[in-house]
Amino acid sequence: MATEAELPPVADRGETFEAQETFEDNPPKSDDIESPKDESAEIELIKESEGWVFPKIKLAAWDAENEKQWEATGKFIAKRNLLASIPNLLCGFGVWLVWSVIATKIQKMHDVDPNVYPFADWGSPQGKQYRATLFLLPGVAGLSGGTLRIPNSFLTQVSGGRNVVYSTSILLCIPMVIAGIVLADSNCSFNSLIACALLSGVGGGAFASSMSNISFFYPKRLQGMALGYNGGIGNLGVSVSQLLAPIVMAGAYGKDPVSPAGISGWPANAGWLWFPLCAFSSILAFFYMSNQPSHGEKKNIVSLINFYWMECMGFLASFIGVITLIQTRSAGMLKTPGGQVAHKFLLVLLAAFCEHLFMLLSPKRARERVHKQVVIFKRKHTYIMTWLYIMCFGSFIGYSGSFPKLIVDLFGYLEGDGCVKDNSFTLGGDQATCEADGGTWELDYDYPNPNAPNGSKVAWLGALVGSLIRPVGGIMADKFGGAKMTMIAIVFTTIAAFAQGALVSICRKLDDPNKYYGAFIFLFLCLFLGTGFMNGTTFRTIGVLFPPEESGPVLGWSSAIASYGAFIIPVMFGISLTAGAPEVTFYGLGGYYVTCAILNFWYYLRPGCEKPGV
């Protein structure tokens, strides 16, 4: 393996990394050779892709670091692509994370009427087991999203950014239509919901290709700003889901109640909320986004075939992970919390391994383009920045998937002794009377808190805070340095994580935890603030740490691995809640943040470090 010193010099933006190799090492193909063009003539050709009325899809040339080209036409084209990219990424996040909101609504309806969504195909779980099972919905979406980000890390150069973005939004429509149909039946199978959640993972995968694509349009001095706006406003899709989905799920809109008992709640409406938004965003990308000159194939149909092939391989790898999850849910190792944790990490490794393997089955030309990008795996800093970005985005997306349901799980139930009869709990009484009446006497039974706070009123604030602060982190990193800003945020987030763990430990021992509800929300918002800020700072660091043709794939691949947080963190909370110690998850994350602080300081901040000023 080549050492850092032996690697070729960093390319200026706009110069392909491959151009630095010798002719003998990598003789160019005839379709890769371009004759030199006069700069003014080149700008005129690029202007064919300018404007808002049917602009040319394929850019004739592009060099964001060329000031004359940037001012003449590059700035407008880059801005138009950014404006069209953002709503598509917003839809991706909205669809990906909507399952945390749907799961919360299903749980509340089931608490009132146990005949609603009993999930007989999963053994009709009850109590804590039912709540832990529902955590799998956002978890499966997270597993699929993380796996699909792996091919999406490379798809921008394989198929062209415009092709990838609009095609992804078309795919987003599919799980939302299916969810709208399936959830209309209160006796739907849990496996059908898992299938929808798996398909929704395409929204998680979209982030890698979207961020990689935008990085090619902007010069280094504007990387933090551009990536911050694209990622930050795109992340708002989580808040949109957590704010609007509960509202639309509460409305009948002329439909009969889903519940046989007539209780309110229409979870299917969440699917119909996102379907038209995804379709509209796809149209925007189709007409107003551009493909970079060196990205994709000469025939656009070939680029699209490559895209759908690699996405299907991602779905297959995700399916293997999810089907293994289902088939091993009764395995012996799951009898202990430690075994359950190991089980989930093994599932992530299995899905990631399968996807990397399946990429070898891509069409030849696509495989060649991917192979040119795998040079990033020779870079030590690819792995360091990935470890840091797991802390940022992995935490952000994991908290986003857990926050709405954690509010319900921690503050929506109380413990007490009472009688359970016909799936209904009555607090108090005595055991003899209960059993004589045909009931079952339960000790420390979890029953709904009649004074539980309405979590849906505030759950959307977490992702909103984290999303809005992301571009601020990028802009401040452009000005003061990404590593410095990241270190400040790590300290802040670590303190918040340990404090939240201590607070949760106190709350679960109280008869009425509601008095600490405000503090719980405040500390969670601090976690979103810190992780959202670091999302912007670390991506700026990657943008200046790597040459242009590598920064895009590194952005994509690091975000792919980090997005598994959307699977790991929700299921970790599910495991710790079932074990009666949810604070352990916060303590574990706090300890991980400490290791990130050490790495960030050692490689990017200490005197004499390898990469100062990033």
Side-chain angles (χ1 to χ4, degrees):
M1 183 179 293
T3 64
E4 295 283 331
E6 296 170 334
L7 296 173
V10 173
D12 293 323
R13 181 157 294 277
E15 176 189 357
T16 61
F17 193 81
E18 291 79 26
Q20 299 169 29
E21 299 173 345
T22 66
F23 184 93
E24 292 76 16
D25 290 336
N26 188 22
K29 298 178 177 62
S30 59
D31 59 350
D32 289 335
I33 301 174
E34 294 186 10
S35 57
K37 300 182 179 70
D38 176 78
E39 188 176 44
S40 298
E42 193 173 69
I43 290 174
E44 290 303 314
L45 288 172
I46 297 173
K47 285 186 176 181
E48 294 177 6
S49 297
E50 203 173 38
W52 293 95
V53 181
F54 301 115
K56 187 178 178 181
I57 293 171
K58 189 90 165 180
L59 293 168
W62 193 259
D63 182 1
E65 297 294 346
N66 183 321
E67 192 67 25
K68 183 177 179 181
Q69 184 189 111
W70 177 256
E71 291 298 329
T73 186
K75 184 189 298 185
F76 174 86
I77 294 174
K79 185 181 294 185
R80 191 195 63 211
N81 274 267
L82 179 60
L83 291 174
S85 171
I86 287 171
N88 284 273
L89 187 55
L90 185 145
C91 285
F93 273 101
V95 170
W96 191 30
L97 270 294
V98 75
W99 292 100
S100 65
V101 190
I102 291 175
T104 303
K105 186 64 176 179
I106 289 174
Q107 180 174 317
K108 288 182 177 180
M109 293 175 67
H110 184 80
D111 286 341
V112 178
D113 181 4
N115 294 315
V116 177
Y117 303 116
F119 303 136
D121 59 324
W122 273 57
S124 300
Q126 297 295 325
K128 287 183 178 180
Q129 194 60 44
Y130 187 87
R131 300 198 290 275
T133 299
L134 283 176
F135 262 118
L136 288 175
L137 291 178
V140 165
L143 178 65
S144 176
T147 304
L148 283 163
R149 279 197 184 186
I150 296 172
N152 272 269
S153 303
F154 308 99
L155 270 173
T156 293
Q157 297 186 51
V158 169
S159 300
R162 172 255 189 189
N163 294 339
V164 172
V165 172
Y166 89 77
S167 298
T168 296
S169 290
I170 291 174
L171 292 178
L172 287 171
C173 295
I174 298 173
M176 292 298 92
V177 171
I178 298 175
I181 296 171
V182 169
L183 285 167
D185 178 9
S186 65
N187 287 310
C188 67
S189 68
F190 191 68
N191 284 337
S192 64
L193 298 186
I194 283 182
C196 289
L198 185 152
L199 292 174
S200 298
V202 70
F207 182 82
S209 51
S210 179
M211 297 296 275
S212 175
N213 180 53
I214 291 301
S215 73
F216 287 103
F217 281 92
Y218 281 85
K220 280 189 176 183
R221 70 181 188 277
L222 298 175
Q223 287 282 303
M225 179 275 296
L227 295 173
Y229 279 123
N230 192 56
I233 302 177
N235 288 167
L236 282 176
V238 181
S239 285
V240 173
S241 263
Q242 293 175 344
L243 175 63
L244 296 185
I247 295 174
V248 300
M249 288 191 295
Y253 305 105
K255 301 175 184 176
D256 293 330
V258 177
S259 164
I263 63 171
S264 65
W266 291 264
N269 291 349
W272 300 121
L273 165 68
W274 281 110
F275 167 64
L277 296 175
C278 293
F280 176 73
S281 297
S282 179
I283 293 171
L284 284 180
F286 183 85
F287 284 109
Y288 297 124
M289 292 192 72
S290 308
N291 291 327
Q292 288 281 327
S294 61
H295 296 175
E297 304 299 330
K298 282 186 175 181
K299 293 182 178 180
N300 203 47
I301 187 64
V302 177
S303 297
L304 292 172
I305 290 172
N306 290 340
F307 167 79
Y308 284 105
W309 176 272
M310 292 181 69
E311 285 290 278
C312 285
M313 292 299 100
F315 279 124
L316 179 58
S318 300
F319 175 77
I320 291 173
V322 171
I323 204 69
T324 304
L325 167 67
I326 295 173
Q327 293 299 319
T328 59
R329 67 182 189 270
S330 299
M333 69 182 300
L334 301 181
K335 294 180 180 179
T336 64
Q340 294 174 41
V341 171
H343 177 252
K344 302 308 180 289
F345 276 97
L346 286 173
L347 287 173
V348 167
L349 291 175
L350 173 65
F353 172 78
C354 288
E355 173 50 32
H356 282 86
L357 185 65
F358 291 159
M359 282 201 295
L360 298 176
L361 303 177
S362 301
K364 182 180 178 181
R365 183 66 172 162
R367 194 165 61 248
E368 289 173 352
R369 286 183 177 272
V370 170
H371 181 71
K372 288 180 180 180
Q373 300 174 64
V374 297
V375 67
I376 66 173
F377 298 117
K378 296 180 180 180
R379 310 292 195 250
K380 173 175 63 179
H381 293 280
T382 297
Y383 304 101
I384 296 171
M385 291 309 304
T386 298
W387 185 258
L388 294 180
Y389 196 62
I390 293 172
M391 165 188 62
C392 312
F393 185 78
S395 297
F396 169 82
I397 206 65
Y399 290 148
S400 297
S402 307
F403 190 31
K405 204 169 160 334
L406 270 177
I407 294 174
V408 175
D409 287 332
L410 294 175
F411 296 94
Y413 299 92
L414 300 174
E415 287 187 353
D417 302 340
C419 185
V420 176
K421 182 181 178 182
D422 298 328
N423 289 325
S424 179
F425 176 76
T426 303
L427 182 65
D430 62 86
Q431 184 174 355
T433 303
C434 171
E435 293 177 348
D437 198 31
T440 303
W441 184 255
E442 297 285 349
L443 299 175
D444 295 328
Y445 187 86
D446 279 353
Y447 65 94
N449 179 2
N451 299 313
N454 186 352
S456 62
K457 290 184 175 180
V458 296
W460 58 277
L461 287 173
L464 176 70
V465 167
S467 300
L468 292 180
I469 199 67
R470 180 172 189 147
V472 176
I475 292 169
M476 291 187 68
D478 283 338
K479 187 173 183 179
F480 300 107
K484 291 179 182 177
M485 294 296 99
T486 298
M487 182 58 74
I488 294 171
I490 291 176
V491 174
F492 176 83
T493 307
T494 303
I495 294 172
F498 282 114
Q500 187 72 296
L503 181 68
V504 168
S505 179
I506 293 171
C507 285
R508 68 182 181 84
K509 298 174 184 176
L510 299 176
D511 292 333
D512 181 15
N514 285 9
K515 63 181 180 180
Y516 288 111
Y517 178 65
F520 174 83
I521 297 299
F522 171 76
L523 286 173
F524 233 126
L525 291 180
C526 288
L527 289 170
F528 277 107
L529 189 72
T531 56
F533 184 85
M534 288 188 289
N535 280 335
T537 61
T538 50
F539 258 30
R540 185 269 180 186
T541 298
I542 292 174
V544 300
L545 190 59
F546 295 89
E549 295 301 315
E550 292 181 27
S551 63
V554 173
L555 289 170
W557 192 80
S558 63
S559 74
I561 303 304
S563 65
Y564 279 119
F567 170 68
I568 291 294
I569 291 180
V571 297
M572 290 303 101
F573 277 120
I575 292 169
S576 60
L577 279 164
T578 303
E583 65 274 10
V584 171
T585 302
F586 287 110
Y587 291 147
L589 289 167
Y592 164 57
Y593 298 159
V594 171
T595 68
C596 292
I598 294 172
L599 278 176
N600 188 59
F601 174 77
W602 183 261
Y603 286 102
Y604 307 125
L605 287 178
R606 68 181 175 87
C609 64
E610 289 185 24
K611 299 289 183 179
V614 297

